[in-house]
Amino acid sequence: MAHQILLHTEVEPYQTIRPQLEALGEICQWNPLEPLPPAEVLRRIEGLYNFGHHRLDGAKMDLMPRLKVISNFGVGVDHIDLEAARQRGIPVANTPKLLDGATADMTFALLLAAARNLVRGDHFARSAAFTHYDPSFMLGQEVHGAVLGIVGLGSIGYQVARRALAFDMRVIYHNRQPRAQAAELGARYVPLDELLAQADFVTLNMPLTPQTRGMIGQRELALMKPTAVLVNAARGGVLDHQALYEALREGKIWAAGLDVTEPEPLPRNHPLLGLDNVIIMPHLGSATHQTRQAMAQRSVDNLRAGLEGKPLLSRVA
Ligand code: 8YV
């Protein structure tokens, strides 16, 4: 009998995914915002392919007693209860490394854009208000030669540091453990509070875990320089958005660039959306054709391996 696959997603998956899944077996799609598929269909499911960030917990896993693999499109798995999967003996796969370059590019794009008023400048240049050029307006913060503080020197953070070196930045970092790799970057390990106080630019590149949830709040933002720029390319949950709003409004930090928020999207009346010293992206860190294609391929290959009882190409739990 053909493999039974559950496609767990609110939206249509990236273009090359569905045909590949169809070649692997029979698909049942579950939009997590809609009612459950019939129990007898769920009972037959052997492989779960997840696209997006809807919660996958033990209760959902229990509906699928034959489930032998969960394959996630993306590296971050904070939406999946890994402990519940472990307890049930269900291996979980993700797509590490493939998106490091694209996400580091986006981190740097936000850093540059926030520092140099790219979005405000573009809006102004298009507007009726731009009637004459004034060399005194829209001055930004200098990027080259500044101090970059990276929170989370994993493989994405490492790529951010490499980009920073090309901008003659001095790199400091904070991580659970100092990283041997940091030496080749000339990056110095510092405690978080020291990083926040010293950095001209702070980028958040760590995973969202119980330890990193809410890591940057009012106290931490107060430690930053009033000229500093904060970039979040990790997960919205690592940052307190109300505290960020207040820090930006009161000029306690200079600007922010967010690729991610919590919730995602922010409620349309969220006060952050009314500030012009924050740039907000709709979670585009890995959103290039090339990276999405690589992630699609890896995640389908992971699912295939799990269905065939072979070792997963990139197993996270
Ligand atoms: C993905 C991401 O696009 O990989 C991750 O953890 O945040 C993004 O690169 C996303 O997870 C897919 O929905």
Side-chain angles (χ1 to χ4, degrees), residues 50-53 72-79 94-96 99 103 156 233-235 259-260 264 283-287 291-292 295:
N50 184 66
F51 190 80
H53 303 140
N72 184 60
F73 177 88
V75 64
V77 283
D78 46 280
H79 50 293
N94 66 346
T95 63
L99 45 85
T103 308
I156 295 173
R235 281 290 184 270
D259 184 43
V260 288
E264 211 161 70
H283 198 147
L284 297 182
S286 67
T291 292
R292 284 286 149 87
M295 292 163 68

Side-chain angles (χ1 to χ4, degrees), residues 4 24 47 53 71 85 88 90 94 101 137 145 151 158 209 214 224 226 235 240 250 254-255 259 272 295-296:
Q4 302 296 304
L24 270 184
H53 303 140
S71 175
R88 289 159 179 77
I90 306 166
N94 66 346
F137 70 19
V151 183
Y158 179 84
T209 64
M224 291 174 66
R235 281 290 184 270
D240 177 336
E250 291 159 20
W254 195 73
D259 184 43
L272 267 178
M295 292 163 68

Side-chain angles (χ1 to χ4, degrees), residues 97 100 150-160 175 179 181 205-206:
K97 309 267 185 255
D100 294 349
I150 301 177
V151 183
L153 198 78
S155 58
I156 295 173
Y158 179 84
Q159 290 298 331
V160 173
N175 210 48
R179 299 285 303 259
Q181 270 183 324
N205 298 105
M206 67 287 225

